[in-house]
Amino acid sequence: MTTVTSSLSFHGAAASSSPHSILHLNFDEKDQSTGSILYASNCIVNIASAQSLHLDNESDDIIYNVRQTIRTNTIAKADWARSITAMSLISPLNKQDASDFQILICAFSDGTITSFLIQQDVSDKRKYKWKEYVISGQTEESTTENDLAISISDIDGFFYKLPNSSTLCMHLIVASAKGVHKLTSQINVDDWVSGSITDAKVAPFEIIGNYPSSTVKITPQMDNQIMLSVGTALPRNNRIHFYTLERNHLYQTLSENQDWKHQGSVFGHLDWISCLDWMISPLTNQESSFEGGMLASGSQDSKIRLWNFHPSKVSSSGDDVNDDESMEDDDNSDDDSVDEDLIEEGEARMYVRYTNSNGENVEIAVTLEAILIGHEEQVTSVQWRPNSDKPCLISSSMDRSILIWMEEDGEDENNIIQYAHINEGLGNVWVPITRVGTAGGVLGGSIGSSLLGFINVLWFDGGRKILAHGFGGALYFWAREESGENKQDTVVQSSPLEKWRASPGITGHFRGCSDLSWEVTEGKYLLSAGLDQTCRLWMQLPDASCIDSSQKLWREVGRPQVHGYDLNTVVCIGSQKGEMLHRFVSGADEKEARAFDAPVETIRLLDALELKSSGSIPNKDERVDRAFIPSLGLSNRANLADAMEEGAEVGLQKTEGEKNVQEKTVNTKTLKNLLPGERDLGVASLWPEVRKLYGHQTEMVCLASTTIEGTDRTVVASACKARDEENAAIRLWNVEKNVCLDVLKNGHKSTVASLAFSKDGTLLASVGKDRRLCIWKYNNEIEKVNFTLSAIVEAAHKRIIWSADFLSNQLSKSSVLATGSRDGTVKIWTISDDAEIKTLCQFSPVSKSSNKKVEPVTAVAFAPKIVTTGESICAILALGLENGLIELWSIPLDNDNKPQHIHSLPKENCHIGTIKKLEWRPTRQSGKCLTLASCGVDHGVRLHSINIS
């Protein structure tokens, strides 16, 4: 009996381009260095955990790697293209209510809201288990009645446990163009099973404010009050509205009223308010009175404002502090006559009034502390530094900078605002003390080569590390350089003298990934092509302490192509004889295919990452050092004269990564620096274009490559979009000579969707939208490569055929081919030497769609390993489905037994959208562990470790 186990080795995807898409998850308050990074990509939540990279006994580099993903069970509404637009880890009102779990809230662009109760794995703190509670949206089994049906811009909330009960109550605030809404729900935490799904008990949406809003922030640290801040998204005169809610009102049923009281608003920002963050004095807690706080607000007007909250009056319950209504304003106020210049410095902009837990009436004055001017474009996020000895703020902007702000010290060394008395500011000027970020990238280039700006930034590791989110989806890390003396300090000494060092980030496609291709010899690296107009190179990093290859780290170490059209297909080419290695051909939404050759710097980097000593580089005389993006062009060029202006520091000087590669020494001090950052990936890791393959009349669809056995002939086959027989022709290419070898006609009548060569290169299978299966056979002629149409199967499937793949282990004279179709069936064919085609068997995947119909098969791939079960010899076939799931099947080759479903990859390890390609890593080893690569429309590239025994 065949036994199969699987695990996710790596998931590569860029973060969504929404400002509220990254979080830090930590279960150990005493050790802030632990924890993981959560970030959203499409409809997936990625868990990036810290992993040590050991190269020898002296090395211990920390790199974040995604080996777990959270896949929602909600489904998109009809005609909605959705993604996660906001995430929040909501806080418990009482810490004892959440001793071993946290609640993650995810909001989507179609109005769906779902929650995940997350627990840490006891055996491995880098792993987590979770259960989903759907709050608003559709699943395959049910649909909730609550529905905003609009993209949600931000979400925040809190939760608490009902007395003497296992029921948790969640109180959520939702910001959108429709206004600010309140949503309350209840979940039972006793019956949860990891990975399961349950509908939460939800009360109807209630509107709090009917003005468009872009950001919300809740702080529960204000006596017996919970403070809500809302930033508006109006054309002009934007305000921050404030609401309060008494804690005592919360411990009621969902049907009873829990009203937020509108306290007023402050104005000043000229454009949308994009971000808010609170800093509350640590002297304030649930048992004591409010001691002061400060709110930072950022806006698209490029300014940051600091609002100081300080108690101005506390009186007995008999006194009335609510007589003055002059500061109250309407929720929809849009008064053009308001003039900020008429307000005196230090004058209260509004008052927050409430009754505290002691029955005293409290009045809190709100004043403008400072206006921070330093960014040149819209401010996208702000956050106060935790555990800091003095107030310290970080901000990100679309001007491609991240600034750290502090208040200038006065002449007296004691004249410093203390964290515990932030309401007693001395009026000193706030200035940026440090700038991190990057000015790299090509100005005017595509997003694949240009940063465009940062949309989020946050502190983690107790304020010792910075995580930033670029518009193109890349995540950037910086760590503070510390001596051994202050590494364990709980209080961070904020200072202009701090030094920050960049660490390897997280990158990936930020739109759908359309194709994959392994390096041809033994899968040294993986290439992926995406609709984000980039081709990316992924490679496994060395780790001396890791014997199991499935546990080793993978990283994007190159970006060979940054194009101006969406890339649809890619294939690696080359052989030990004839065609040079480290080349590939790509096809995009254009009429020609393009061939690229690895530069010398890339080959040096690949050798360094394989811990190889620098030796002779094959075909070095025919390769260039590096490539450049040309001005107003689509292709990478091999000389600087044709390059777009990248700046003196980019175009004329070598990057740090290139310098490290050329040192020719692989050691613990340089290997971490060898990993290129986002700037180097988009500019310095390009491959030069060496050929253009002209001939097709419409956009490219698919490519395939082979080296014909017994020869040194490397052949590339290509197909394009077609509505007639003429454009449905397949072209064969000799890339080295830039020659079209043959045009294969009279086979298909419309678009060819997939091409596949047999292992020896003598057979070419083509399938497509016309439901035909065509077999083209190689004629062994000395002068030229020639394929002729040997067989056609009309209506091989009932619907479009998406994928085809040959079995690489040929055990008999007949070749074995698998095809997968939209009709939800897989067919196994045998092809004899005289090109006679027979159906060996057919079957359907076990996974069913929401309407209980068979799920369409969009990708098939035979494993490079044959297994023996009893007296039967079986091939292993991987199926990729339209719902993103992956199944493994055992296909008998020597008898009439039926195919057997032997394994389904765990749902959380699979894609959430259509799988575009499956490809097994070629290997010359006979081990049990194999690597399966997959990509899909959910932007992800996944590497699965498959153990077969």
Side-chain angles (χ1 to χ4, degrees):
M1 181 177 179
T2 304
T3 303
V4 180
T5 59
S6 64
S7 62
L8 182 64
S9 297
F10 173 74
H11 180 228
S16 300
S17 295
S18 299
H20 310 287
S21 300
I22 60 173
L23 296 168
H24 182 236
L25 176 67
N26 186 37
F27 281 87
D28 190 351
E29 291 186 0
K30 296 181 180 179
D31 185 5
Q32 293 292 328
S33 63
T34 61
S36 302
I37 303 299
L38 303 181
Y39 74 93
S41 60
N42 193 254
C43 295
I44 292 283
V45 178
N46 299 271
I47 304 176
S49 298
Q51 185 167 338
S52 298
L53 184 64
H54 298 277
L55 299 175
D56 57 24
N57 295 331
E58 299 179 359
S59 176
D60 190 10
D61 292 333
I62 301 297
I63 295 180
Y64 282 84
N65 193 54
V66 177
R67 282 209 174 96
Q68 269 191 301
T69 56
I70 300 178
R71 184 184 192 271
T72 179
N73 289 280
T74 60
I75 58 177
K77 302 179 179 69
D79 302 325
W80 281 80
R82 68 172 190 160
S83 63
I84 296 175
T85 54
M87 299 195 308
S88 178
L89 286 169
I90 60 176
S91 305
L93 288 185
N94 303 294
K95 290 185 178 180
Q96 60 268 26
D97 289 345
S99 57
D100 61 346
F101 65 86
Q102 294 194 41
I103 296 180
L104 171 68
I105 305 295
C106 295
F108 293 75
S109 57
D110 63 350
T112 297
I113 302 174
T114 190
S115 62
F116 298 92
L117 192 148
I118 303 176
Q119 282 187 327
Q120 199 168 33
D121 195 316
V122 178
S123 59
D124 187 352
K125 292 187 177 181
R126 293 181 302 177
K127 294 184 178 180
Y128 303 89
K129 52 185 180 179
W130 58 85
K131 178 177 180 177
E132 183 174 11
Y133 296 88
V134 178
I135 298 173
S136 170
Q138 297 180 6
T139 65
E140 293 183 355
E141 290 77 22
S142 63
T143 302
T144 60
E145 295 181 0
N146 284 319
D147 191 0
L148 282 179
I150 194 171
S151 180
I152 296 172
S153 56
D154 196 8
I155 191 167
D156 201 3
F158 56 86
F159 67 92
Y160 53 94
K161 184 177 288 187
L162 293 181
N164 304 318
S165 171
S166 61
T167 300
L168 287 183
C169 293
M170 293 186 290
H171 194 115
L172 305 178
I173 303 297
V174 180
S176 70
K178 283 187 175 181
V180 186
H181 291 79
K182 178 188 75 173
L183 183 63
T184 53
S185 63
Q186 291 182 351
I187 61 175
N188 191 306
V189 296
D190 272 355
D191 59 350
W192 82 287
V193 179
S194 180
S196 61
I197 178 174
T198 302
D199 288 339
K201 180 183 177 182
V202 184
F205 278 101
E206 295 181 30
I207 191 164
I208 296 177
N210 58 357
Y211 45 83
S213 55
S214 54
T215 183
V216 293
K217 198 71 175 181
I218 288 178
T219 176
Q221 300 169 281
M222 187 174 273
D223 291 347
N224 65 335
Q225 302 289 315
I226 300 170
M227 174 74 82
L228 167 64
S229 314
V230 181
T232 62
L234 296 168
R236 59 187 183 277
N237 294 334
N238 281 275
R239 294 173 175 265
I240 305 173
H241 290 271
F242 296 97
Y243 301 82
T244 56
L245 176 67
E246 286 191 30
R247 286 172 176 266
N248 297 334
H249 289 174
L250 296 174
Y251 296 92
Q252 302 171 0
T253 62
L254 289 177
S255 60
E256 296 185 22
N257 194 16
Q258 299 175 359
D259 286 336
W260 287 89
K261 178 183 178 182
H262 184 249
Q263 293 283 354
S265 65
V266 294
F267 60 89
H269 287 294
L270 302 179
D271 210 331
W272 288 16
I273 297 170
S274 55
C275 49
L276 299 167
D277 194 50
W278 275 96
M279 177 174 62
I280 302 296
S281 168
L283 298 181
T284 298
N285 54 52
Q286 296 174 18
E287 289 76 27
S288 67
S289 61
F290 180 70
E291 296 293 337
M294 194 176 291
L295 175 69
S297 62
S299 169
Q300 293 188 9
D301 63 8
S302 75
K303 295 179 178 61
I304 301 170
R305 290 175 176 252
L306 304 183
W307 307 93
N308 202 343
F309 287 67
H310 51 90
S312 65
K313 186 176 181 180
V314 178
S315 60
S316 64
S317 58
D319 297 332
D320 189 2
V321 297
N322 294 301
D323 291 337
D324 183 9
E325 297 182 358
S326 60
M327 303 305 296
E328 291 288 332
D329 62 337
D330 181 27
D331 286 6
N332 302 307
S333 176
D334 190 17
D335 186 1
D336 291 329
S337 64
V338 174
D339 189 352
E340 190 177 13
D341 294 335
L342 299 178
I343 302 176
E344 296 183 5
E345 184 177 354
E347 181 182 352
R349 302 298 183 97
M350 61 164 280
Y351 292 94
V352 177
R353 301 180 176 94
Y354 61 90
T355 303
N356 64 18
S357 55
N358 297 325
E360 299 172 323
N361 293 321
V362 179
E363 184 177 79
I364 296 175
V366 182
T367 58
L368 179 62
E369 174 72 16
I371 301 177
L372 279 54
I373 300 176
H375 288 295
E376 298 175 355
E377 297 290 343
Q378 66 187 65
V379 177
T380 54
S381 67
V382 291
Q383 188 182 41
W384 294 101
R385 189 174 193 174
N387 306 324
S388 177
D389 64 331
K390 56 183 72 73
C392 180
L393 182 73
I394 194 169
S395 62
S396 64
S397 170
M398 289 301 290
D399 64 4
R400 306 198 292 182
S401 71
I402 294 172
L403 299 180
I404 300 175
W405 304 80
M406 284 181 61
E407 192 173 22
E408 279 187 328
D409 296 347
E411 295 180 1
D412 185 354
E413 292 183 0
N414 297 321
N415 214 17
I416 300 174
I417 297 179
Q418 295 300 319
Y419 188 95
H421 301 87
I422 55 178
N423 56 299
E424 300 175 359
L426 301 177
N428 293 326
V429 177
W430 283 76
V431 294
I433 60 169
T434 305
R435 170 175 173 156
V436 297
T438 177
V442 177
L443 295 176
S446 69
I447 299 178
S449 63
S450 179
L451 173 64
L452 291 186
F454 292 103
I455 60 175
N456 205 350
V457 66
L458 58 85
W459 300 99
F460 70 107
D461 192 6
R464 291 176 170 83
K465 293 180 180 177
I466 299 171
L467 168 64
H469 176 193
F471 183 82
L475 299 185
Y476 302 76
F477 295 88
W478 289 273
R480 188 176 78 156
E481 293 185 351
E482 297 184 273
S483 62
E485 300 176 356
N486 58 11
K487 279 186 178 181
Q488 303 302 323
D489 292 344
T490 56
V491 177
V492 179
Q493 305 293 325
S494 298
S495 168
L497 301 179
E498 290 178 291
K499 294 182 179 179
W500 298 89
R501 178 179 293 275
S503 300
I506 295 176
T507 60
H509 291 285
F510 53 87
R511 289 184 63 193
C513 185
S514 51
D515 202 4
L516 296 168
S517 183
W518 287 99
E519 188 268 335
V520 293
T521 58
E522 51 186 7
K524 292 181 179 180
Y525 53 81
L526 176 71
L527 292 182
S528 62
L531 303 181
D532 59 358
Q533 305 178 355
T534 64
C535 176
R536 300 175 187 247
L537 187 152
W538 311 86
M539 189 173 180
Q540 199 170 31
L541 304 184
D543 191 342
S545 66
C546 187
I547 300 176
D548 185 0
S549 62
S550 66
Q551 297 300 314
K552 290 187 177 181
L553 289 168
W554 286 82
R555 261 300 177 274
E556 181 187 355
V557 300
R559 200 165 297 168
Q561 185 182 8
V562 177
H563 202 35
Y565 290 103
D566 295 355
L567 295 178
N568 298 322
T569 181
V570 65
V571 63
C572 290
I573 61 175
S575 64
Q576 300 291 353
K577 301 178 181 179
E579 185 78 33
M580 287 197 305
L581 292 174
H582 305 303
R583 281 188 169 183
F584 74 91
V585 179
S586 68
D589 282 340
E590 55 180 350
K591 299 176 183 179
E592 65 266 16
R594 300 172 186 267
F596 297 82
D597 182 23
V600 173
E601 298 297 344
T602 295
I603 296 177
R604 283 178 177 155
L605 175 62
L606 298 179
D607 289 343
L609 293 177
E610 289 185 299
L611 298 183
K612 292 182 179 179
S613 58
S614 181
S616 60
I617 296 176
N619 308 106
K620 182 177 180 180
D621 294 339
E622 301 179 41
R623 303 183 189 272
V624 299
D625 283 344
R626 57 166 291 192
F628 303 89
I629 297 181
S631 178
L632 302 177
L634 294 174
S635 303
N636 308 334
R637 290 286 182 259
N639 55 50
L640 183 59
D642 294 334
M644 178 182 290
E645 259 185 60
E646 300 176 14
E649 76 283 359
V650 179
L652 302 178
Q653 299 179 10
K654 293 200 175 289
T655 65
E656 289 300 318
E658 290 173 320
K659 292 177 182 178
N660 290 329
V661 171
Q662 287 195 323
E663 287 178 359
K664 300 182 180 181
T665 58
V666 180
N667 55 50
T668 61
K669 295 181 179 179
T670 62
L671 185 59
K672 185 176 179 180
N673 294 332
L674 286 177
L675 298 178
E678 176 68 14
R679 169 184 172 276
D680 292 340
L681 286 171
V683 175
S685 66
L686 300 169
W687 292 20
E689 180 185 310
V690 292
R691 302 284 188 275
K692 282 189 180 71
L693 307 179
Y694 291 105
H696 290 291
Q697 301 301 311
T698 56
E699 296 89 343
M700 300 293 299
V701 173
C702 57
L703 294 165
S705 174
T706 189
T707 298
I708 300 174
E709 196 172 80
T711 72
D712 59 358
R713 296 173 176 174
T714 297
V715 179
V716 174
S718 63
C720 66
K721 292 181 181 179
R723 293 184 177 179
D724 52 46
E725 285 192 26
E726 181 181 359
N727 286 319
I730 301 168
R731 290 180 175 268
L732 303 181
W733 306 89
N734 182 323
V735 175
E736 179 66 30
K737 297 181 180 180
N738 199 13
V739 172
C740 180
L741 300 172
D742 201 358
V743 180
L744 308 183
K745 299 180 179 180
N746 303 319
H748 290 276
K749 298 180 179 179
S750 60
T751 302
V752 175
S754 180
L755 296 166
F757 281 102
S758 60
K759 183 182 179 181
D760 60 5
T762 59
L763 293 177
L764 171 63
S766 59
V767 295
K769 291 187 175 181
D770 58 4
R771 300 178 295 145
R772 283 185 170 187
L773 166 62
C774 297
I775 302 297
W776 312 82
K777 190 172 182 180
Y778 171 67
N779 293 326
N780 189 14
E781 297 184 8
I782 299 177
E783 297 296 329
K784 64 177 183 177
V785 174
N786 180 254
F787 280 75
T788 57
L789 182 61
S790 298
I792 296 180
V793 179
E794 296 281 358
H797 285 266
K798 296 178 181 179
R799 303 286 297 277
I800 180 176
I801 306 174
W802 284 119
S803 181
D805 190 47
F806 276 100
L807 177 66
S808 59
N809 300 73
Q810 189 170 331
L811 302 178
S812 63
K813 293 183 179 180
S814 298
S815 297
V816 179
L817 176 73
T819 56
S821 168
R822 187 173 180 79
D823 64 9
T825 63
V826 177
K827 290 189 177 183
I828 309 299
W829 313 81
T830 59
I831 306 167
S832 62
D833 285 344
D834 56 359
E836 182 182 0
I837 303 178
K838 294 183 179 180
T839 304
L840 181 64
C841 59
Q842 78 174 60
F843 58 93
S844 297
V846 296
S847 177
K848 306 295 182 182
S849 61
S850 58
N851 56 8
K852 307 302 180 183
K853 293 184 178 180
V854 177
E855 193 68 27
V857 180
T858 56
V860 295
F862 277 111
K865 179 180 180 179
I866 298 294
V867 297
T868 303
T869 304
E871 298 180 355
S872 179
I873 299 176
C874 299
I876 304 298
L877 180 67
L879 309 182
L881 309 180
E882 191 174 61
N883 61 5
L885 301 183
I886 299 174
E887 298 179 2
L888 299 182
W889 286 71
S890 173
I891 312 296
L893 299 176
D894 58 348
N895 54 46
D896 296 331
N897 293 339
K898 295 182 179 180
Q900 297 292 323
H901 171 251
I902 57 175
H903 184 68
S904 290
L905 272 64
K907 200 171 185 179
E908 63 268 19
N909 293 346
C910 295
H911 298 268
I912 201 169
T914 303
I915 292 178
K916 302 295 290 185
K917 184 69 174 291
L918 294 174
E919 186 162 335
W920 296 85
R921 185 181 188 182
T923 177
R924 292 179 291 185
Q925 300 176 353
S926 58
K928 298 178 181 179
C929 185
L930 301 174
T931 300
L932 174 65
S934 64
C935 68
V937 298
D938 62 355
H939 310 180
V941 174
R942 292 177 181 257
L943 296 174
H944 309 270
S945 178
I946 311 293
N947 286 280
I948 304 175
S949 59

